[in-house]
Amino acid sequence: MAQIETAIAREGGSELVIERSRFLGLALPADTEEAALAALARVRAQHPQATHHCSAWRLGPGQERQSDDGEPQGTAGVPLLETLRRRGVDYGILIVVRYYGGRKLGRPGLLRAYLGAGVAALDAAGFGRDEVVFVEVVLADLEDLPTVNAVYARHFDESKRPARTVFQAASLPHGGKVKVQAIAIHAR
């Protein structure tokens, strides 16, 4: 069965201050491990005095990774990875930089802080299917249209389905069967 894959297309950032600790959330595009590692290295270079650079990424089916970067196990990377999963992000990286403020937050406080910074960064990036206004579908074989329609119906609520066009092409790159391009508008 065909599946729609979603990616973070542009950077989004957030900042939370909790008990004098600063949490800077970043949602960044990444479609390969090299791109994710480069994004993490860039953020580390931009914030060398930060106490932690926690991260999670998804790079397609079965390619997930998370890091607590010295925070207690499961308090930073796991909530960031869960945020990517629950928001339906298939390709992208979430990084939260922490500048320690002198007070321990405890496990529940850390979970809330990292989750809050990650969600806010994704929101700032404008990530969500609700913002898709137009979809263009190119098929190598029009007989695949019922499968595309079923996937489209699963991923877009009937009352909010975006406009779309469907074309047939003689062939698609790399022997592909379907190419989908979407346009989303993010209102600030």
Side-chain angles (χ1 to χ4, degrees), residues 9-75:
R10 66 171 184 217
E11 293 186 16
S14 67
E15 181 174 352
L16 300 175
V17 177
I18 301 171
E19 298 288 337
R20 299 191 316 239
S21 280
R22 245 175 98 210
F23 294 85
L24 306 175
L26 297 157
L28 304 166
D31 58 359
T32 65
E33 186 170 357
E34 293 77 24
L37 290 169
L40 185 56
R42 186 183 75 209
V43 170
R44 284 183 185 279
Q46 290 170 344
H47 300 277
Q49 300 303 315
T51 315
H52 304 282
H53 303 84
C54 302
S55 62
W57 67 66
R58 296 189 78 202
L59 305 171
Q63 296 185 45
E64 299 178 331
R65 190 164 159 190
Q66 58 85 20
S67 168
D68 294 313
D69 192 38
E71 290 284 27
Q73 185 176 356
T75 60

Side-chain angles (χ1 to χ4, degrees), residues 86-106:
R86 289 184 180 170
R87 295 291 291 271
V89 177
D90 297 304
Y91 292 90
I93 182 171
L94 274 178
I95 302 169
V96 177
V97 175
R98 180 183 184 192
Y99 287 90
Y100 183 65
R103 289 196 178 156
K104 293 188 178 190
L105 302 179

Side-chain angles (χ1 to χ4, degrees), residues 110-153:
L110 289 171
L111 286 164
R112 281 191 300 274
Y114 282 102
L115 182 62
V119 167
L122 274 179
D123 288 344
F127 186 83
R129 290 189 186 117
D130 289 345
E131 296 166 330
V132 175
V133 295
F134 179 77
V135 176
E136 177 183 270
V137 180
V138 182
L139 298 169
D141 186 345
L142 281 178
E143 290 190 17
D144 290 327
L145 186 57
T147 301
V148 170
N149 286 339
V151 171
Y152 192 76

Side-chain angles (χ1 to χ4, degrees), residues 173-185:
H174 309 291
K177 296 178 78 175
V178 179
K179 175 189 173 206
V180 178
Q181 183 171 330
I183 297 173
I185 297 176

